[in-house]
Amino acid sequence: MQLRSTLFRVLAAATLVPTLALAAPKTAPAQAGARPSKQYTVEQFMATTRLSGASFSPDEKRILFSSNESGIFNAYTLPLSGGKAKALTQSKTDSTFSVGFFPKDERILFTRDQGGNEHTHLYVRTPDGKERDLTPGEKLKAFFAAWSEDDSAFYVLTNERDARFFDLYRYDAKTYARTLVYQNDQGFNFADVSPNGKWLAFDKPRTNYDTDIHLYNVETKEMKHITPHEGDVDFSASTFDPGSTALYFLTDQGSEFKRVARYELATGKVEDVERADWDVMYTYFSRKGGYRVTALNEDGRTVIRVHDVKAGKPLALPQLPAGDITSVRISDSEKRMAFYHNGDRSPSNLHVYDFGTKKVSRLTDTLSRDIDTQDLAESEVVRFKSFDGMEIPNILYKPHQATASAKAPAIVWVHGGPGGQTRKGYSPMLQYLVNHGYVVLGINNRGSSGYGKSFFTADDQKHGREPLLDCVEAKKYLASLPYVDAERIGIAGGSYGGYMTLAALAFHPDAFKVGIDVFGVSNWLRTLKSIPPWWESQREALYKEMGDPTKQEQMLRDISPLFHAEKISKPLLVLQGANDPRVIQPESDEIVEAVKKNGVPVEYVIFPDEGHGFTKRKNEVEAYARMRGFLDTHLKAAGPAPVN
């Protein structure tokens, strides 16, 4: 549970999926030429199916995954031989996400919350279709943690005892009787349990870039701090090895980037295992330990490494069209590998690779059948120098129809976080806007993940100032492109990006023509005081990142758009989930009310069955249609006619 990855979750439907980026040119992409042969409706774009997760059935003949094929996420299975997906759950109101098959039978585990409120419970479904809540109760949050080595039990995290902290329980796989393994009174973040059940690994954040690892001996009940250090160093536990002899972890000690290291449980010896010129995002072992999978964050794309442990060398991955392999899952027999593959013009599709035959089978076709990929845009990584010379990486989408003689309006898109990252990959929302003639620049302002420790920490307690100035400089960069209309540039973003949108309109009122705020913060004092109770273990780190509302009230007032709303003079669209526990509805209610007093065009849409992000297709359709309609009215229509 890393703070910067959970603070304000990058919005599910409005984010850039981690995928391809072959190079990082410092110039704009070449002009594409002709207008696309067809422009598509929002319904056609949102007919694309979203998938996640992968778990092999015990006989390894089927795959369990999550899909929003029905318009809301449910659990499905697919035969490895191909065919139509079968829905195992049929929720019509609450998004349901599969966890996995039981290792030895046809039961499955899945999670579900209530209308996006993030009070996630863990359920079991039996082959006859009956469902049972394994974590019943009100206002609690639960996660699946791991299976025991012999498959007789599984581990679950729940904050039912104390809403602030997650305790670890061991559940009997047959009776579901449970035993408390660790009562968490100190705000540790659980990371992993060793296969033999003897060791627990926890992270303890002090700031967003200074974290320690603690090891707990279940038998002796002793907790040991294993990463004493000076200065700011990030240590985060990843996984125990299958033999329960070592803990693998990530650290940036002495480096700009995170690498893999290992700690021997018996001796305390530490040694480096794997490094790259980019951050390692995670590493883990297959169940039997034959393979170790590592993911790198390489300039806005995901690069997977699969290590053959016995052979001591990397495994050659299958050759696929342009895009990224992600979300690798190796079967218990270690004969097969499930993974997703995606690209800028191709949403994630589920594949299975047979290690013996080297055969790759694609199991899904998720892109809307109405859409020709040639009408979609391929993004490029571009960079510009900001006001102080700092180099800012971005993901740029150029419409086919944009030319020097037919200049296009443009949008600076700001990711969530703080500390998120705009990445290459398929986004139906962005492709929809680009398809209808909008240039989109997904900015990775200072403070974004993936570009080293110095860049990541460059925004701390500077929000509303330096990172926002990067966005203003992004507008200048767009204005310099020959196919962009410099007079028609707006700003938009989700979550923290929504805050940046409001801040841009309030603190730089002449920079952008319009703003779109999706689930964004308007009042940091209230947001920081009303964080969900289960963030308690990260409160101190959050305050060091953003500011302490009890000690730095004036600073937080100074950077909160709500207290400067009288300066907002440009059209604004606000989208808000009624059940959002992170950015609560009053954040949007009050900024809308305040801006309306200025006589400014304001559109406001509340989604009664969503939380912090969109999980229901009908809401995505409405939200993105409202976004385009707003832009067409207040940005596209504001410019001159195309030059013939």
Side-chain angles (χ1 to χ4, degrees):
M1 266 187 258
Q2 299 261 346
L3 176 65
R4 295 293 281 263
S5 65
T6 60
L7 176 53
F8 299 118
R9 180 185 61 207
V10 181
L11 298 180
T15 147
L16 303 180
V17 184
T19 50
L20 169 72
L22 296 179
K26 297 188 179 182
T27 58
Q31 293 187 19
R35 180 185 181 87
S37 57
K38 184 177 181 180
Q39 290 179 307
Y40 302 97
T41 66
V42 66
E43 289 84 3
Q44 287 173 313
F45 270 104
M46 295 318 301
T48 295
T49 303
R50 291 161 56 196
L51 309 176
S52 66
S55 171
F56 287 93
S57 61
D59 60 8
E60 297 188 10
K61 292 183 178 180
R62 286 166 297 130
I63 291 280
L64 173 70
F65 61 99
S66 305
S67 168
N68 74 337
E69 179 181 339
S70 67
I72 188 171
F73 277 97
N74 275 287
Y76 289 76
T77 58
L78 259 176
L80 268 61
S81 57
K84 183 175 175 57
K86 177 184 178 181
L88 298 188
T89 63
Q90 287 84 26
S91 175
K92 292 179 171 54
T93 56
D94 298 320
S95 293
T96 301
F97 294 95
S98 63
V99 171
F101 275 105
F102 276 59
K104 295 179 179 179
D105 61 66
E106 294 292 311
R107 289 173 294 168
I108 68 165
L109 292 169
F110 65 88
T111 63
R112 182 183 288 153
D113 74 354
Q114 303 84 47
N117 65 4
E118 300 187 27
H119 291 145
T120 306
H121 289 209
L122 182 67
Y123 294 78
V124 61
R125 178 194 184 273
T126 51
D128 60 4
K130 294 180 180 178
E131 299 176 359
R132 175 176 174 178
D133 187 350
L134 298 177
T135 54
E138 297 294 327
K139 296 184 178 180
L140 66 85
K141 189 175 180 69
F143 303 94
F144 173 82
W147 279 94
S148 65
E149 190 172 32
D150 62 2
D151 301 328
S152 67
F154 54 92
Y155 296 88
V156 177
L157 290 160
T158 172
N159 67 343
E160 64 191 74
R161 179 189 60 84
D162 185 334
R164 300 173 302 166
F165 305 131
F166 289 89
D167 299 331
L168 184 70
Y169 290 87
R170 179 184 170 100
Y171 277 66
D172 184 277
K174 291 182 179 180
T175 67
Y176 311 126
R178 67 178 191 173
T179 305
L180 179 64
V181 178
Y182 180 75
Q183 180 169 307
N184 186 6
D185 294 315
Q186 300 183 60
F188 290 115
N189 290 336
F190 173 82
D192 197 20
V193 53
S194 62
N196 65 6
K198 181 179 177 180
W199 300 96
L200 307 179
F202 294 93
D203 294 335
K204 180 64 174 175
R206 292 192 287 182
T207 69
N208 292 330
Y209 43 90
D210 187 10
T211 303
D212 279 306
I213 299 173
H214 295 255
L215 271 178
Y216 179 73
N217 187 313
V218 175
E219 295 176 355
T220 65
K221 303 189 183 307
E222 294 177 325
M223 182 73 79
K224 183 178 181 181
H225 176 205
I226 66 168
T227 54
H229 64 276
E230 295 182 358
D232 295 323
V233 182
D234 184 34
F235 294 94
S236 55
S238 290
T239 183
F240 289 96
D241 70 328
S244 300
T245 65
L247 174 68
Y248 283 67
F249 63 94
L250 305 182
T251 182
D252 59 9
Q253 189 170 35
S255 171
E256 277 290 311
F257 297 101
K258 295 177 184 178
R259 63 187 182 278
V260 182
R262 68 190 297 270
Y263 173 92
E264 287 190 2
L265 299 175
T267 65
K269 178 184 177 182
V270 175
E271 61 181 359
D272 285 350
V273 174
E274 184 179 6
R275 65 171 64 225
D277 293 331
W278 299 92
D279 275 332
V280 174
M281 295 191 290
Y282 57 80
T283 193
Y284 63 89
F285 285 91
S286 57
R287 193 87 189 280
K288 292 183 178 179
Y291 299 98
R292 185 170 57 83
V293 179
T294 298
L296 306 180
N297 185 347
E298 189 172 299
D299 208 12
R301 60 174 295 224
T302 298
V303 174
I304 294 290
R305 293 174 177 175
V306 179
H307 306 272
D308 186 327
V309 174
K310 293 180 181 178
K313 62 180 182 181
L315 183 74
L317 296 178
Q319 294 298 309
L320 295 169
D324 281 3
I325 290 174
T326 66
S327 305
V328 170
R329 177 70 179 264
I330 295 172
S331 68
D332 286 355
S333 71
E334 298 189 339
K335 294 180 180 179
R336 301 170 183 86
M337 178 179 78
F339 63 90
Y340 286 95
H341 180 265
N342 55 34
D344 282 334
R345 296 181 295 160
S346 173
S348 291
N349 277 292
L350 183 59
H351 295 67
V352 172
Y353 177 60
D354 188 294
F355 290 133
T357 65
K358 311 297 182 187
K359 179 185 177 182
V360 177
S361 300
R362 175 171 162 173
L363 302 182
T364 62
D365 187 8
T366 55
L367 183 66
S368 170
R369 293 183 179 181
D370 294 339
I371 295 177
D372 182 343
T373 59
Q374 295 304 307
D375 293 329
L376 303 180
E378 192 78 18
S379 73
E380 292 195 44
V381 177
V382 298
R383 286 172 161 81
F384 64 83
K385 288 190 176 180
S386 194
F387 66 96
D388 57 356
M390 180 175 285
E391 192 173 70
I392 306 298
N394 311 262
I395 308 296
L396 178 63
Y397 289 84
K398 175 183 178 293
H400 293 291
Q401 63 265 47
T403 66
S405 59
K407 295 187 176 185
I411 303 160
V412 175
W413 174 262
V414 191
H415 60 65
Q421 183 184 25
T422 302
R423 298 166 62 82
K424 285 178 65 72
Y426 186 76
S427 164
M429 181 270 291
L430 292 185
Q431 288 286 358
Y432 171 58
L433 295 179
V434 175
N435 181 248
H436 284 271
Y438 292 93
V439 176
V440 176
L441 184 75
I443 184 173
N444 283 312
N445 50 272
R446 68 191 68 198
S448 301
S449 300
Y451 305 99
K453 180 164 49 179
S454 297
F455 192 84
F456 180 68
T457 60
D459 68 337
D460 288 357
Q461 299 215 8
K462 297 178 181 178
H463 303 283
R465 298 187 293 273
E466 286 87 337
L468 184 58
L469 288 173
D470 293 339
C471 296
V472 175
E473 293 297 320
K475 184 247 185 176
K476 296 177 183 177
Y477 169 78
L478 281 170
S480 74
L481 300 179
Y483 51 83
V484 171
D485 184 340
E487 298 303 315
R488 293 187 293 163
I489 300 176
I491 185 169
S495 193
Y496 177 77
Y499 158 70
M500 292 282 267
T501 295
L502 296 173
L505 297 185
F507 304 133
H508 299 274
D510 298 323
F512 298 96
K513 290 295 183 182
V514 299
I516 298 178
D517 158 29
V518 187
F519 308 104
V521 176
S522 66
N523 178 356
W524 281 112
L525 284 169
R526 174 173 47 218
T527 292
L528 292 171
K529 290 178 181 178
S530 64
I531 62 173
W534 55 86
W535 284 5
E536 183 62 35
S537 65
Q538 299 162 112
R539 183 186 296 272
E540 181 183 358
L542 174 58
Y543 286 180
K544 288 182 178 178
E545 157 75 9
M546 294 303 311
D548 187 329
T550 62
K551 300 177 181 178
Q552 297 173 282
E553 178 177 352
Q554 188 58 51
M555 184 270 280
L556 291 170
R557 278 183 166 272
D558 290 344
I559 67 169
S560 294
L562 181 63
F563 303 114
H564 309 272
E566 74 281 357
K567 299 177 183 177
I568 296 179
S569 59
K570 300 298 169 60
L572 172 65
L573 169 64
V574 177
L575 307 178
Q576 174 70 44
N579 301 322
D580 192 337
R582 303 177 183 223
V583 181
I584 59 178
Q585 187 178 320
E587 290 289 319
S588 294
D589 291 345
E590 292 183 8
I591 193 70
V592 167
E593 182 182 359
V595 176
K596 282 183 175 179
K597 293 178 181 178
N598 301 338
V600 175
V602 180
E603 297 180 24
Y604 186 26
V605 186
I606 301 171
F607 297 90
D609 55 352
E610 295 284 14
H612 195 68
F614 296 112
T615 61
K616 298 173 179 65
R617 183 179 289 150
K618 65 180 178 64
N619 292 336
E620 293 177 297
V621 168
E622 180 180 356
Y624 305 151
R626 294 291 292 261
M627 289 170 68
R628 183 192 155 204
F630 174 83
L631 292 171
D632 284 353
T633 299
H634 298 288
L635 188 62
K636 183 179 286 187
V643 178
N644 294 324

